[in-house]
Amino acid sequence: AAAGYATKAATDFESAFAGVRKTVDATEEQLNELETGIRDMSKELPSSANEIAAVAESAGQLGIQTDNILGFSKAMIDLGNATNMSANEAASALAQFANITQMSQKDFDRLGAVIVDLGNNSATTEKDIVNMGMRLAGAGKQVGMTEAQIMAISAALASVGIEAEAGGSAFSKVMVNMQLAASKGGKDLDNFAKVAGMSSSEFAKAYKENAAGAITAFVSGLGKLKESGGDAIGTLDDMGITEVRMRDALLRSAGAGDVLSESIDRASKAWDENNALTKEAEQRYGTTESKMKIAKNEIDDAAITIGKNLLPVVADLAGGLADAAQAFGSMDPAAQKAVIALLGVVAGIGPVLKVTGNLTSGIGKASSAIGKFAQKLAEKKAAEVASTAATEGLSGAIGGA
């Protein structure tokens, strides 16, 4: 049973790691380091080595560099355990996000910390934040936003019920329009600046130096118009922002008060501190359920080590069976029937041998019993003879006396 468990664990991990070999362009030495790293990680996290290998396989497919695969996989596993995203969902979305924004592949833990901190402190989920972030990533990169700022705006929009597919694209258009206005000047720049409470030159400078801050100022100014009884919708119409989705996204975000500015401040702090994801994950890993999973992973790792030594033997046996099957398949039908008939005879001999064995065993037991019975009879007869002799000798002695 132990050998079977070990073999199963080793073959399962071998198959899982074959996916890593397929997608990761690495030397054999690097692959050995990845294998060791994945197995060591499983002894610290409540995710099996096979699950971690699947994330590492995705990392290779998504273009993560070999030196960054273990760090990327750890961050994605943490997100999978600490949020409402699976590790594979997080891996696919965030790798694509990083490709769009040209983020350093060493910063996935920081990005994860931002997402978790925003998810814990916004009226939305981490999954919705990431979905919105994917919609804003292109425009955000174009106007010079940081990854933390993009995710902050995403959290603010998602927290007021704006859907990623529609609202995200609409808000991206607003960001692009602001950039064009800041670059070209004219009436559009004047309109954005007026709502933001700045001069045209101030707004243009602010947008070039800190696009997220300029957008926040504009949204905040739009919210003040609504609060003071001004015509926010009319102002947007005058600016040419008449598309329903764009206008809805701006009005909703304007009605959320300081949510946008607070989200940006929080995200920037979370990026710098880089501990929100770690803390959230550690809380999950401290549960009894997680500890039991980690203990099982320890057992599985030992089984993998044992099983790897058994795999060559199992492979040889499997190869022998395959050769036998191939040889049988290549026989002509008459020979195949003869083999089947012979197998039937051999199978039939089994019960006969069992009966014969039982019979022989029974005879042996009977013989033993008869022998013991004869021995008892002999002992009894000897006792009777001795008793008779003693009696006769005593009678003769008495008579002589």
Side-chain angles (χ1 to χ4, degrees):
Y5 185 88
T7 302
K8 179 69 166 58
T11 53
D12 286 349
F13 181 71
E14 183 184 46
S15 297
F17 195 74
V20 179
R21 288 181 173 275
K22 180 181 68 175
T23 63
V24 177
D25 184 15
T27 65
E28 192 62 30
E29 181 181 358
Q30 288 175 314
L31 288 169
N32 289 335
E33 290 175 357
L34 279 177
E35 179 179 344
T36 300
I38 289 170
R39 290 177 59 183
D40 288 345
M41 202 183 299
S42 73
K43 291 183 282 187
E44 299 175 359
L45 309 178
S47 296
S48 69
N50 297 339
E51 292 170 336
I52 298 171
V55 176
E57 179 183 350
S58 296
Q61 289 176 323
L62 295 164
I64 303 300
Q65 298 165 356
T66 303
D67 292 342
N68 297 320
I69 284 179
L70 288 177
F72 174 84
S73 299
K74 171 68 164 57
M76 298 308 111
I77 292 293
D78 285 348
L79 282 169
N81 287 315
T83 71
N84 65 332
M85 294 185 292
S86 71
N88 285 325
E89 285 176 337
S92 178
L94 297 188
Q96 292 172 5
F97 179 87
N99 288 337
I100 295 170
T101 63
Q102 296 299 295
M103 185 187 81
S104 169
Q105 292 186 357
K106 298 186 182 298
D107 287 335
F108 281 106
D109 54 346
R110 293 183 180 277
L111 183 61
V114 169
I115 293 167
V116 168
D117 194 75
L118 289 170
N120 287 342
N121 295 280
S122 303
T124 187
T125 67
E126 294 86 358
K127 188 172 185 177
D128 289 335
I129 293 171
V130 171
N131 288 340
M132 183 69 76
M134 288 295 294
R135 296 285 176 176
L136 299 180
K141 171 63 177 178
Q142 184 177 334
V143 302
M145 289 185 186
T146 66
E147 289 79 14
Q149 289 172 338
I150 294 171
M151 287 299 179
I153 293 175
S154 299
L157 295 178
S159 67
V160 293
I162 298 174
E163 295 182 359
E165 186 173 354
S169 299
F171 206 86
S172 293
K173 291 181 182 179
V174 174
M175 292 160 60
V176 172
N177 288 347
M178 284 187 185
Q179 185 192 37
L180 291 173
S183 300
K184 295 181 178 180
K187 184 179 178 181
D188 290 339
L189 176 59
D190 294 339
N191 289 332
F192 280 119
K194 182 179 179 180
V195 174
M198 302 179 188
S199 67
S200 296
S201 59
E202 287 175 339
F203 187 84
K205 181 181 179 182
Y207 200 83
K208 290 176 182 178
E209 293 178 354
N210 182 7
I215 291 171
T216 301
F218 173 77
V219 171
S220 177
L222 197 61
K224 291 176 181 177
L225 281 177
K226 291 181 64 178
E227 292 172 4
S228 62
D231 189 3
I233 295 177
T235 299
L236 292 176
D237 284 340
D238 293 340
M239 296 175 64
I241 302 177
T242 57
E243 185 180 334
V244 174
R245 289 178 177 176
M246 291 176 65
R247 188 168 59 189
D248 181 61
L250 285 170
L251 291 174
R252 285 200 193 191
S253 57
D258 297 328
V259 171
L260 189 56
S261 60
E262 290 175 357
S263 294
I264 291 174
D265 291 341
R266 179 174 292 281
S268 298
K269 183 178 179 182
W271 179 278
D272 292 336
E273 292 180 348
N274 191 23
N275 58 18
L277 175 57
T278 302
K279 287 182 178 179
E280 183 82 6
E282 285 177 349
Q283 289 180 1
R284 304 279 181 166
Y285 300 158
T287 64
T288 302
E289 180 184 9
S290 293
K291 289 179 179 179
M292 291 175 65
K293 288 180 179 178
I294 293 171
K296 181 180 182 300
N297 291 344
E298 292 268 12
I299 296 170
D300 286 344
D301 185 71
I304 290 170
T305 300
I306 297 170
K308 286 182 71 174
N309 295 319
L310 297 175
L311 289 185
V313 178
V314 174
D316 288 342
L317 290 173
L321 291 173
D323 291 342
Q326 186 176 8
F328 181 81
S330 63
M331 290 180 179
D332 61 74
Q336 289 177 343
K337 290 180 180 179
V339 170
I340 293 172
L342 179 60
L343 291 175
V345 171
V346 172
I349 288 174
V352 173
L353 291 178
K354 183 178 180 182
V355 171
T356 304
N358 291 340
L359 180 60
T360 303
S361 176
I363 292 172
K365 291 177 181 178
S367 299
S368 176
I370 292 170
K372 290 179 180 179
F373 180 67
Q375 183 179 358
K376 291 292 184 181
L377 287 177
E379 291 174 354
K380 184 177 181 182
K381 184 64 177 176
E384 289 177 354
V385 170
S387 177
T388 300
T391 301
E392 290 178 349
L394 180 60
S395 298
I398 293 172

